[in-house]
DNA sequence: AATAAATTTTAGACAAACCTAAAAAATTAT
DNA sequence: ATAATTTTTTAGGTTTGTCTAAAATTTATT
């Protein structure tokens, strides 16, 4: 019941969870790349996590989390995203600055702490990057959002998430006065450079590049 | 500038700081006792901390922190007490529940995090147990408080700190409606059992035992 | 002052989490 | 199908922080 994994084990579990979202299965090199470690170290850890039944793993075959492993991963992600929300909403961090700190805070394990933090923050459903925060049972609100680049012309939509956490993106979005929750519609697309003309209510039209459009997710209203 | 000590090193440094407040100098066995570790492990760590110039240490002679070591200790204590204050004032923990969690949170090192937390909490000067929170430069407000047991009769005083963090003490104080900040005076002392009769403004008289009187610090007004 | 007891240190091991270099297996190119 | 290349694992080390048992030193007792 009171899971007790090392910081290192938790970082591996979380990384595997994120990687397997894409392929379903993860390779040693992929994981080593994500954790800035060496493949040999990954193999060592895989054996340990397999012994703890968190992982399905046959040597040379790749691996993915067990049901139990996924539960653990979701509880780590819950802690990570709740802390990110706290840092931005209460301590006034920018969303480009919170990842590193949350990467440490997520390892402070205390059920009471997380429950009370969740209550204090009023049970937020999404973190500052628009990613869903799993609840106590690992359930997350599903956003059926699309990339802004795929939004049809003249359709009202709301910005729901960013696909990058770089300061450069935040800087640009602040300059253009776009943030999570902003309602907008695409008025024109220019084929030459794939740039867009956006309209935000009561504001002059804004132009955004293809790269920026790809970095934003929106939900049609 | 960006000090980077392991969690273990930080725990040793903080424990040495607290122990040397009493004697001025600390012994291997004392420290082992405080950290629930063995004397041999302490000796190992002493060598490491000495090499890092945080400690004055000659074998078989005892040891105490260097100026630099004290600075590090104070910054850890600052983090510990700020987090305790946060847990009690924002997350509604009882002050008997915060120590363990703060013991972990104190190791999340990020200057920005602590500065912003301090700002968010409005620069508190004392933690929930009445202990002073060092500022960014290691300075703490000095409380010239005394044990309640030493307070003269009929002298108005304010409760400033508790000498124990046990749930039992908190339970008793809550029952008697005494907390940090409560203003009271001692009306009588009974020689037979050293119990006290207290008067709190607009409240009926309360009786407290010698043990309880020893657990409370007060500042005469 | 000599002996006994307690404290502290050293020597040698161990687990966790990493690493490098070499071997084994799988994949891909010829 | 064979050879070349890439991926993964194994073998053997290293560092950190711990431990037990034995040796060295200090302190207390007679
Ligand atoms: Mn992490
Ligand atoms: Mn996030
Ligand atoms: Mn600690
Ligand atoms: Mn405290």
């Amino acid at each position: 019941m009171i899971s007790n994994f090392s910081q290192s084990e938790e970082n591996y579990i979380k990384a595997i969870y994120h990687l397997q979202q894409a392929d379903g299965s993860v390779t040693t090199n992929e994981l080593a790349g994500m954790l800035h470690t060496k493949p040999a170290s990954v193999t060592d850890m895989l054996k340990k996590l397999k012994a703890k039944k968190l992982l399905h793993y046959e040597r040379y075959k790749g691996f993915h989390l067990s049901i139990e492993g996924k539960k653990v991963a979701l509880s780590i992600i819950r802690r990570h995203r709740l802390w990110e929300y706290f840092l931005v909403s209460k301590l006034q961090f920018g969303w480009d600055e919170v990842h590193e700190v949350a990467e440490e805070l997520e390892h402070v394990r205390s059920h009471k702490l997380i429950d009370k933090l969740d209550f204090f923050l009023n049970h937020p459903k999404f973190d500052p990057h628009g990613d869903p925060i799993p609840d106590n049972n690992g359930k997350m609100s599903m956003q059926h959002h699309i990339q802004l680049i795929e939004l049809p012309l003249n359709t009202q939509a709301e910005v729901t998430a960013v696909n990058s956490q770089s300061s450069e993106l935040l800087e640009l979005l602040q300059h253009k006065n776009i943030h999570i929750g902003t309602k907008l519609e695409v008025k024109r697309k220019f084929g030459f450079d794939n740039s867009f003309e956006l309209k935000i209510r009561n504001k002059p039209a804004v132009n955004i590049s293809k790269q920026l459009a790809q970095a934003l997710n929106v939900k049609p209203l």
Side-chain angles (χ1 to χ4, degrees), chain A:
Chain A
M1 195 99 270
I2 310 107
S3 55
N4 198 30
F5 301 105
S6 72
Q7 190 151 324
S8 203
E9 287 170 330
E10 290 193 344
N11 285 334
Y12 275 89
I13 293 164
K14 191 168 59 123
I16 296 169
Y17 180 90
H18 287 309
L19 287 172
Q20 78 182 21
Q21 292 301 98
D23 320 37
S25 173
V26 188
T27 69
T28 304
N29 272 357
E30 270 181 313
L31 186 49
M34 165 145 296
L35 293 171
H36 306 106
T37 186
K38 299 289 147 139
S41 309
V42 169
T43 302
D44 285 349
M45 185 58 90
L46 293 178
K47 288 178 191 160
K48 217 189 315 176
L49 295 178
K50 183 184 181 169
K52 296 192 179 187
K53 314 244 185 199
L54 297 170
L55 206 59
H56 296 297
Y57 164 54
E58 296 301 327
R59 61 206 232 296
Y60 291 108
K61 299 295 187 198
F63 46 90
H64 57 101
L65 295 176
S66 68
I67 304 287
E68 192 49 34
K70 259 181 235 165
K71 272 190 207 157
V72 175
L74 284 165
S75 82
I76 303 163
I77 290 167
R78 170 170 166 78
R79 299 192 298 252
H80 184 101
R81 291 182 180 164
L82 277 174
W83 280 117
E84 283 191 345
Y85 187 95
F86 167 74
L87 294 172
V88 169
S89 71
K90 301 293 181 180
L91 299 198
Q92 316 291 336
F93 275 79
W95 59 237
D96 57 327
E97 308 172 301
V98 297
H99 188 79
E100 268 196 10
V101 181
E103 202 57 49
E104 294 201 40
L105 285 165
E106 70 188 356
H107 302 292
V108 177
R109 268 166 299 83
S110 155
H111 287 307
K112 202 167 215 166
L113 174 61
I114 294 305
D115 287 354
K116 283 176 174 287
L117 182 63
D118 187 42
F119 180 82
F120 175 60
L121 299 175
N122 220 247
H123 311 295
K125 295 277 168 292
F126 299 95
D127 84 2
H129 310 105
D131 295 314
I133 300 175
D135 72 14
N136 243 323
N137 307 307
K139 287 234 169 58
M140 327 192 233
S141 313
M142 245 320 167
Q143 292 260 59
H144 36 68
H145 54 201
I146 56 176
Q147 294 209 115
L148 174 51
I149 215 164
E150 280 150 12
L151 184 69
L153 285 180
N154 300 309
T155 310
Q156 271 275 322
E158 183 180 341
V159 177
T160 50
V162 290
N163 290 326
S164 149
Q165 304 186 190
S166 74
S167 305
E168 287 85 1
L169 173 57
L170 180 57
E171 183 194 19
L172 184 57
L173 288 176
Q174 277 171 347
H175 177 71
K176 295 194 188 284
N177 240 291
I178 297 171
H179 48 86
I180 287 177
T182 298
K183 294 186 180 62
L184 50 75
E185 56 189 284
V186 176
K187 301 312 269 183
R188 291 187 66 173
K189 300 185 186 182
F190 297 100
F192 178 68
D193 57 1
N194 289 300
S195 70
F196 284 41
E197 184 162 86
L198 296 185
K199 190 71 186 65
I200 303 172
R201 216 157 49 106
N202 302 327
K203 298 254 173 72
V206 222
N207 259 85
I208 69 167
S209 66
K210 181 192 177 195
Q211 292 98 301
L212 182 51
Q214 280 173 322
L216 295 176
N217 285 12
V218 300
K219 181 178 64 181
L221 295 173

